[in-house]
Amino acid sequence: MAEAGEVGLQTVLILPTTPGKHPLVLMTHGSDYSKSKNKEMGPGLMQPEAVWFARRGWVVAIVTRRGYGSSGGKMDKTHYGCDENAFATIAEEDAADLMAAYDAVKNLPQVDGTSVIAIGNSAGGFAALAFGAHAPPALKAVINFSGGWHSLLFAGSCAKSGLVPEFHNLGAATNVPTLWLYAKNDNLFAPKYVALMHDAFTIAGGEAEMPVIGKSGDGGHYLFSESVEIWAPLVESFLENHSLPWQDLDPEYGGKTIKLPDSYPADMKDAFLKWQKLGPNKAFAVGPNGEWSYSSGRKTLKIAKDEALDRCRNPQCKIVAYDGQ
């Protein structure tokens, strides 16, 4: 697409192990408050979740929207504001990015371009819903994980004056079923804001199934990456109900995990197990006094190592484990 310049949109394909053509998932990411962090984003950020869908017979295209990671163009983050027009502009650009990715992969020999779903997390959930409102005929459904748009200035007035009206617009233009998944303890989109967005979407005519979900981790907003055991049965049920592939074709899949010695702090041991399930490029750092930190899904392994050390709160922290692409 011209808006992404000569570089284009970085898109990584995760393929099923079975032969033939497969339906397509367009999957896209969230956004950080920091522009530099967004530029350091790598497609490995969503790789474990993409593999989950590939195991169910989907080709997954992990789409890095314009301006993020290695993709060209100006990122949607530049349109920050609390008025409806700002969110409408973001929605249009995000939908255009996903449409460009769809056009690029729909005719690949592994892809059945007549059957597509869109999935996004956080700002990517908003992007997936925007794509649903500009859907090609092949789109069958949208799955929104913790979706919305958030800034450091976000407040109730911002939601009501800008974000909620745009969800109303998206609902009015959406003709496919959608699944909304939000943890009760989401620290960016509290239940009262989610209810406003959901009501606006459905009152306008959008179909949005939103099951009740309890707490997920410490902050709730990372439901997609941290709590597959919570969302997996909900997604499987949604896919099955809409006659879309949902059964695990490789139930024995799963790599080995390494446990830290019992002498290590419990929170560090839990974090290390969680870190192992995240996508590359990733690194785990520990300090001499029980400090720990990790980074994952960065553009390069060096960025992941530097970020893990920076977060570790002690200059004596060291990288003890890493995994790169």
Side-chain angles (χ1 to χ4, degrees):
M1 64 186 304
E3 294 83 358
E6 294 182 2
V7 175
L9 299 178
Q10 183 182 35
T11 302
V12 173
L13 293 182
I14 306 295
L15 304 176
T17 57
T18 51
K21 289 183 175 290
H22 303 82
L24 176 67
V25 171
L26 295 172
M27 182 178 290
T28 194
H29 53 83
S31 180
D32 195 278
Y33 292 137
S34 165
K35 183 176 180 180
S36 63
K37 295 296 183 187
N38 288 325
K39 294 296 293 183
E40 295 172 353
M41 183 182 298
L45 184 68
M46 308 183 83
Q47 184 171 305
E49 295 76 39
V51 169
W52 187 94
F53 283 90
R55 283 168 45 195
R56 284 153 181 80
W58 297 85
V59 170
V60 184
I62 304 175
V63 183
T64 304
R65 301 191 304 281
R66 72 183 87 162
Y68 291 85
S70 297
S71 291
K74 185 181 294 185
M75 70 177 62
D76 49 17
K77 190 179 177 68
T78 59
H79 302 294
Y80 263 169
C82 281
D83 64 284
E84 184 178 345
N85 290 334
F87 292 113
T89 300
I90 292 171
E92 290 176 6
E93 294 187 357
D94 289 350
D97 287 358
L98 292 178
M99 183 64 78
Y102 169 67
D103 287 339
V105 303
K106 66 182 180 182
N107 293 319
L108 293 177
Q110 307 95 330
V111 175
D112 174 6
T114 68
S115 183
V116 185
I117 64 174
I119 298 173
N121 176 57
S122 190
F126 180 77
L129 289 169
F131 181 68
H134 298 76
L139 188 70
K140 305 302 181 186
V142 173
I143 303 178
N144 158 33
F145 285 90
S146 312
W149 196 262
H150 204 280
S151 74
L152 289 172
L153 302 176
F154 187 85
S157 58
C158 186
K160 294 176 182 177
S161 65
L163 193 57
V164 170
E166 181 54 24
F167 270 96
H168 183 275
N169 296 337
L170 295 179
T174 299
N175 297 308
V176 298
T178 68
L179 176 64
W180 294 34
L181 299 173
Y182 293 81
K184 179 181 180 180
N185 61 326
D186 192 310
N187 56 3
L188 293 187
F189 299 111
K192 63 179 180 180
Y193 294 131
V194 175
L196 288 173
M197 295 185 293
H198 182 263
D199 286 350
F201 187 89
T202 54
I203 288 172
E207 179 184 343
E209 178 182 334
M210 189 168 70
V212 175
I213 297 176
K215 293 184 177 181
S216 167
D218 294 329
H221 193 64
Y222 299 101
L223 170 71
F224 191 37
S225 61
E226 294 185 351
S227 297
V228 63
E229 71 282 357
I230 293 177
W231 60 257
L234 301 173
V235 170
E236 287 180 335
S237 177
F238 176 78
L239 294 174
E240 182 183 15
N241 289 342
H242 294 285
S243 302
L244 296 167
W246 65 275
Q247 291 179 302
D248 192 348
L249 304 178
D250 190 8
E252 301 302 320
Y253 175 89
K256 294 181 179 179
T257 56
I258 301 171
K259 294 184 179 181
L260 293 176
D262 291 340
S263 58
Y264 283 69
D267 61 338
M268 183 190 295
K269 291 189 291 185
D270 290 343
F272 189 65
L273 289 174
K274 181 186 297 182
W275 171 82
Q276 292 176 68
K277 299 177 182 178
L278 300 176
N281 295 297
K282 62 184 178 183
F284 196 97
V286 300
N289 301 312
E291 304 94 347
W292 59 266
S293 184
Y294 61 76
S295 176
S296 69
R298 311 318 292 165
K299 187 186 295 185
T300 67
L301 181 57
K302 183 181 184 304
I303 291 174
K305 289 181 176 180
D306 290 345
E307 188 171 83
L309 290 171
D310 184 59
R311 291 174 173 174
C312 198
R313 308 185 307 277
N314 189 323
Q316 297 183 51
C317 286
K318 296 181 179 181
I319 299 295
V320 297
Y322 59 86
D323 175 24
Q325 287 180 319

